Amino acid sequence: MLLVPLMFAITLFAFFLLKALPGDPVLGLVGERADPETMESMRRELGTDKGFVGQYAGYLKLLLKGDLGRSYYTNRDVLADISRKFPNTMLLAFAAMLVTVPLGTGLGFLSAVSAGGRSRFLERLIDTLSISGLSIPVFWSAIIIMMLFSLKLKLLPPSGTGGIRFLVLPAAVLAIPAAATLARVTKTTVLEILRMPYVTTARSKGLSALRVQLVHVLRNAVIPIVTIIGLDFGSYLNGAVVTETIFGWDGIGKFTMEGIIKRDYPVIMGCIITGTLVFVVVNLITDVIYHYLDPRIRLNVKKG
Amino acid sequence: MSRRGKLSIIIVAGFLTISLLAPVLPLEDPYRIDLDSIKRPPGLEHPFGTDNKGRDILARVVYGGKISIGVAVTAAFISALIGFGVGLVSGYYGGVFDSVVMTVVDFFLSFPSLLLAIAISIVLPPGIYTVMIALSAVGWTSFARLIRGHVLTVKEMPFVDAARTTGCSDFRILLRHIAPLCIPLALVLMGIKLGGYILTEATLSFLGLGAQPPTPTWGYMVSANRAYILSAPWMVLYPGLAISITAFCFNVLGEALRERYDFSSDIH
């Protein structure tokens, strides 16, 4: 539902951006000494005489056809480049998720469970770790990790795109802040569930602590956690810009960054539009999973 | 407030004081290039070492702190101000304006904020004001949402009715009767969000979209010096540590505020 206005807003923004740039494309094409008639016919041909709304409509039409324009520097089709790099970014994001989900939920769960215990050492330790994970800038941890593991210890290649050996370091860097966020959310969720009456009931009927935690608490925590994992997907896109650039991973993030440095506007806009699309689609998937996981919502859907 | 919260306030205040007092402290000139002492490791003369142009890293980190913390705090303040205004009007009047504003807010809150900040930063010429604008444009939404929610409950209170009976205008009710009750809330949220502002500012500077060289900012120092990570790791280590420690303290402070004022965790 949000998809249409969202894409509309982003394309409008993209269009404003392209319009805000100095320079007249017609003048650039025909040269400074062209006569007014040639320029006039050129304007008609390119559609720059149609005014803002007309031009925007034309731009939308091109976008709908999948035409994102050509790079100012390489003159390559932006859409073709993006579709080639896109799988790499997704691979990196999923590799990061593979680390994030067990690490984040595990630590968050441990922290919440030990919050009620005698020694709160574990809780404090995990909380400090998760706040640190949120506080260390990705670009810095990427450089430090690269120095340690590839340049000093020579365990893994420092940069490049390829198999699992190239994937480990960038995925780990990307996973740090994501796991920290997830750990905090998991902790709050689990703490809330621990206060629920049904947990007390489960305890009072003599179930072991482990069984209560795994069956009664963890299962109910899954729903909000899945939502957060989906909603937090944006942070992978954020992180990918920096991480991919530093590790030379040939994905959308690095492409965005190159576009920014060279002020290659078609590339930047193409990447931002792709990012928005990914984000919208992931939110949609999260919604679907959420409905599937929560029987109450599923029932409502069937009824209504 | 928790002990950790208090401690983090003291550390951050210390950082800020040192940065602001930088011109009168016995520091080297952060801009002075000294080709006779390039890439000196940390020692007595240069506690944090020198960079590839012989500039004192400690001085650059301290001066950079003024910009990095200053930009982040200013941007947080502007965000709070915009969000406060929008939230007040949106919550008080409701209706179409409210629905439109809240749709926009939802969009901003869920969109990858760094991409948005980057998009804004490339339209405007790079510099600290651009960073402030980008951070504020991304950040005002959570304030708007929070204040709006609070206004919705406050405006139903009897004293608002009383004010209206005595003939106060809408404007006066909003400004004199409702707004003062929302200010503490906005301040608390500012404290919670500051760590994030520090990091985003650092990232934009790292990407070259912030204050331009030779002005020292923490993010740009890491970016410019990363080629020397093997031969002179201190050039990257100290600015990065400065960002991490500052963001950590702000985040601990935010956590303490969250617990103290019982903020739910879903305010991103």
Side-chain angles (χ1 to χ4, degrees), chain A residues 6 13 17 128 131-132 134-137 139-140 143-144 147 151 184 188 234 238 257 260 263 268 272 276 279, chain B residues 4 107 110-112 114-115 118-119 122-123 199 203 206-207 226 229 236-237 240-241 244 247-248 251 255:
Chain A
L6 189 64
F13 180 74
L17 180 62
T128 310
I131 298 186
S132 309
L134 284 177
S135 309
I136 298 171
F139 57 83
W140 191 63
I143 294 170
I144 301 292
M147 179 186 75
L151 304 178
R184 284 156 51 96
T188 0
N238 275 346
M257 184 65 196
I260 292 169
R263 309 270 144 165
I268 301 171
I272 289 181
T276 315
F279 161 76
Chain B
R4 288 208 295 185
F107 162 64
S110 45
F111 193 76
L114 187 67
L115 277 188
I118 289 174
I122 53 174
V123 189
L199 278 191
T203 308
F206 176 83
L207 296 177
R226 72 176 202 263
I229 182 76
V236 175
L237 204 63
L241 270 180
S244 305
F248 183 82
N251 281 335
E255 197 72 355

Side-chain angles (χ1 to χ4, degrees), chain A residues 75-142:
Chain A
N75 199 31
R76 292 160 60 95
D77 189 49
V78 172
L79 185 70
D81 273 358
I82 286 182
S83 20
R84 193 170 47 78
K85 291 164 195 279
F86 187 68
N88 287 338
T89 298
M90 284 297 114
L91 184 65
L92 182 60
F94 281 115
M97 264 179 122
L98 221 59
V99 183
T100 303
V101 174
L103 192 69
T105 47
L107 285 179
F109 192 74
L110 266 181
S111 170
V113 169
S114 61
R118 266 159 286 144
S119 153
R120 298 187 70 180
F121 172 75
L122 194 61
E123 186 207 358
R124 294 230 171 90
L125 180 75
I126 294 173
D127 283 4
T128 310
L129 273 181
S130 68
I131 298 186
S132 309
L134 284 177
S135 309
I136 298 171
V138 170
F139 57 83
W140 191 63
S141 58

Side-chain angles (χ1 to χ4, degrees), chain B residues 4 8 11-12 17 20 22 35 54 56 64 77 81 115 141 145 156 172 192 201 203 206 217-218 227 256:
Chain B
R4 288 208 295 185
S8 65
I11 297 175
V12 168
T17 318
L20 290 176
L35 296 178
D56 186 54
F77 189 72
L81 221 56
L115 277 188
T141 46
R145 152 146 297 190
E156 302 300 335
R172 194 182 163 82
I192 292 177
E201 189 278 335
T203 308
F206 176 83
T217 60
W218 292 341

Side-chain angles (χ1 to χ4, degrees), chain B residues 39-262:
Chain B
K39 295 206 271 179
R40 290 273 164 82
L44 275 181
E45 205 182 333
H46 303 285
F48 287 4
T50 63
D51 68 6
N52 59 319
K53 295 192 177 80
R55 293 175 296 199
D56 186 54
I57 304 258
L58 175 65
R60 288 182 70 74
V61 167
V62 170
Y63 276 83
K66 194 172 84 180
I67 293 165
S68 297
I69 301 178
V71 168
V73 172
T74 315
F77 189 72
I78 298 172
S79 307
L81 221 56
I82 299 174
F84 195 78
V86 173
L88 270 187
V89 175
S90 193
Y92 188 73
Y93 290 104
V96 183
F97 179 77
D98 183 42
S99 331
V100 172
V101 167
M102 282 307 120
T103 311
V104 173
V105 165
D106 278 341
F107 162 64
F108 271 86
L109 278 180
S110 45
F111 193 76
S113 55
L114 187 67
L115 277 188
L116 211 60
I118 289 174
I120 293 165
S121 307
I122 53 174
V123 189
L124 304 167
I128 55 171
Y129 297 109
T130 299
V131 175
M132 285 180 196
I133 293 170
L135 290 178
S136 316
V138 172
W140 64 274
T141 46
S142 41
F143 289 92
R145 152 146 297 190
L146 178 76
I147 298 301
R148 171 192 176 262
H150 196 56
V151 170
L152 283 183
T153 52
V154 170
K155 76 171 180 186
E156 302 300 335
M157 288 187 180
F159 71 86
V160 176
D161 289 335
R164 197 168 288 126
T165 353
T166 57
C168 289
S169 64
D170 276 350
F171 184 70
R172 194 182 163 82
I173 291 176
L174 257 184
L175 212 64
R176 286 310 209 39
H177 297 266
I178 295 180
L181 286 174
C182 299
I183 290 174
L185 215 59
L187 287 178
V188 171
L189 187 62
M190 230 175 99
I192 292 177
K193 307 282 279 182
L194 269 170
Y197 279 92
I198 291 278
L199 278 191
T200 316
E201 189 278 335
T203 308
L204 289 177
S205 300
F206 176 83
L207 296 177
L209 299 167
Q212 294 299 295
T215 312
T217 60
W218 292 341
Y220 186 75
M221 284 170 79
V222 173
S223 154
N225 296 349
R226 72 176 202 263
Y228 306 95
I229 182 76
L230 274 186
S231 59
W234 55 89
M235 282 168 65
V236 175
L237 204 63
Y238 290 110
L241 270 180
I243 302 168
S244 305
I245 294 173
T246 311
F248 183 82
C249 288
F250 274 126
N251 281 335
V252 171
L253 169 67
E255 197 72 355
L257 285 171
R258 221 189 267 269
E259 273 169 25
R260 172 84 172 71
Y261 294 97
D262 201 20

Side-chain angles (χ1 to χ4, degrees), chain A residues 4 7 31 52 62 85 99 114 116 129 148 163 184 203 227 244-245 261 274 279 285 297-299 302:
Chain A
V4 178
M7 287 318 285
F52 188 84
L62 281 178
K85 291 164 195 279
V99 183
S114 61
L129 273 181
L148 283 178
R184 284 156 51 96
R203 281 213 189 100
T227 321
E244 286 182 0
T245 306
I261 291 173
T274 315
F279 161 76
I285 295 174
I297 296 174
R298 214 164 30 189
L299 279 176
K302 271 183 195 159

